[in-house]
Structure formats: structure tokens, C-alpha cells
Amino acid sequence: MTSDAATIAAAEASASFKHAMRRLASGVCLVTTHESGLDHGFVASAVTSVSAEPPTLLVCINRTATSHDPLLRAGIFCVNVLTQAHEDLARRFSRPEDRHLRFADRNWIRLISGAPVLEDGLAGFDCQVERTVSVATHTIVIGHVVATRTAGPVEPMVYIDGRFTAAASRGGFHPAFDFDRGWG
Ligand SMILES: Cc1cc2nc3c(=O)[nH]c(=O)nc-3n(C[C@H](O)[C@H](O)[C@H](O)COP(=O)(O)O)c2cc1C
């Protein structure tokens, strides 16, 4: 394969990966940190539970994100899970031109780490960085969860096919499978 052909093949693989990934529904989170007296944060969907004993999760952060270096230097972060009422926040925390407005309003509190926690977030996971792994363009940050917080009804924001949507739930959720109780 020539280098031109290899470049085209790599671009096609990347485009088809992105196209297929648009079909993977995810929750929407704000990953926040606090370093040298300043708050930083960005929208993230690459957030995954790793272990409950001890409580551990991971987030994947693009090395070009302005929060990347402050988060790694501070060694702390909070994963704030958004509700359907937070669409304005999701846009602000993903658009570079709105960066200066990210913490402009809403109520932010601190738990243990010192990272900003959204007071009316669906859930907050306050973390200390346990380990980092560099993969391609991103850093996988594994966090030890030092505190959690939940608020309000379970009305999550969902990101699918490039859009922020609400989880469809007529008359509440009726899960076929519950992590704690198994198949119901
Ligand atoms: C729905 C959605 C999910 C995103 N998920 C991630 C993610 O998991 N990791 C990441 O590094 N960037 C993610 N981004 C992109 C960042 O939010 C975006 O690049 C942000 O502007 C970076 O912050 P900065 O402007 O301070 O550099 C996502 C964006 C959107 C809209």
C-alpha cells in the first residue's frame, strides 16, 4: 500500500468509526476540575464505571482540551451527570467560544476534592486521579471516587446521533434488568 493509499484508508476508517459511534447512546457529563484558583471543565460522554470496590471510574480526555493539563496537574476532577434541563450547560461546556461562560451561573458546590460539583446535577462523582494512560489523541484518566451526590428525579440527558435528547420514558422507567435485583 502506498502512503497516499494508507492515508486514505486511515481517513475512511476514522470516518466510518465516527459514523457508527453516533449510534451509541450515552449520558452527558460535565467533567470539571480546579487548579491554581481556577475552575475548568468540558462536556464528556466517554465516562465509564470501572469498579465498585473501591469505587472507580474512567474518563477519556482529548489532550487538546483546555482542561486536560490543569486536571492532570491538580489530580482531581468531578463527573457531573446532566439532566434534560441542562442543555444550555452542555452547549457552553462543549463550544470553545462559550468557554468564559462555563461557570458563570448555576450553583456550584465542592465536596472533598475541591472540583466544582453541579448542585442540581443528576449525579456527581468527586474523584482523585488514580492513574492515567495515554492512547492515541486521548488520555484515559482513572479516578478513585471519594464522594458522590445525587439530586432530583432521574431525567437524564442522552446524546445520540449528534443530538442532545431526553431518554424516552412514558410513565417512568420500567427496566427489564436491574443491576441490584437482576432480571425483573
Ligand atoms: C456530547 C459530547 C460529548 C463529548 N465527549 C467528550 C469526551 O468524552 N472527551 C473529550 O475529551 N471531549 C469530549 N467532547 C468534546 C469537548 O466537550 C469539547 O472539545 C470541549 O470544547 C473541549 O473543551 P475546551 O473548549 O475547553 O478545549 C464532547 C463533546 C460533546 C458535544
Side-chain angles (χ1 to χ4, degrees):
M1 198 185 277
T2 65
S3 66
D4 279 356
T7 304
I8 291 166
E12 283 172 359
S14 173
S16 62
F17 172 77
K18 287 182 188 167
H19 178 71
M21 283 301 289
R22 287 171 71 94
R23 297 172 176 221
L24 176 62
S26 64
V28 182
C29 303
L30 303 182
V31 174
T32 57
T33 192
H34 184 83
E35 193 238 2
S36 300
L38 294 175
D39 292 329
H40 306 268
F42 65 101
V43 166
S45 54
V47 174
T48 302
S49 165
V50 174
S51 151
E53 294 170 9
T56 306
L57 56 68
L58 68 78
V59 302
C60 299
I61 311 178
N62 195 314
R63 276 192 294 279
T64 62
T66 56
S67 309
H68 181 274
D69 292 356
L71 190 154
L72 263 55
R73 280 195 298 265
I76 57 159
F77 65 99
C78 182
V79 173
N80 298 277
V81 183
L82 297 187
T83 73
Q84 296 157 21
H86 292 136
E87 196 166 330
D88 59 326
L89 274 180
R91 296 195 187 287
R92 249 187 264 172
F93 275 75
S94 58
R95 288 157 46 141
E97 60 272 32
D98 293 342
R99 201 177 285 144
H100 62 293
L101 295 171
R102 288 183 184 169
F103 295 94
D105 51 21
R106 302 277 178 171
N107 289 333
W108 297 91
I109 59 172
R110 318 268 161 180
L111 294 176
I112 291 177
S113 79
V117 181
L118 186 60
E119 191 172 41
D120 65 348
L122 193 54
F125 299 88
D126 197 27
C127 298
Q128 277 168 354
V129 175
E130 169 89 25
R131 194 182 310 174
T132 62
V133 182
S134 184
V135 179
T137 54
H138 282 58
T139 300
I140 301 172
V141 179
I142 300 168
H144 171 55
V145 181
V146 293
T148 59
R149 177 191 158 82
T150 56
V154 183
E155 294 173 348
M157 183 188 293
V158 174
Y159 190 69
I160 178 74
D161 200 20
R163 287 176 295 127
F164 298 114
T165 63
S169 69
R170 265 188 306 181
F173 292 101
H174 300 287
F177 181 83
D178 183 297
F179 254 133
D180 297 323
R181 284 175 297 194
W183 293 101

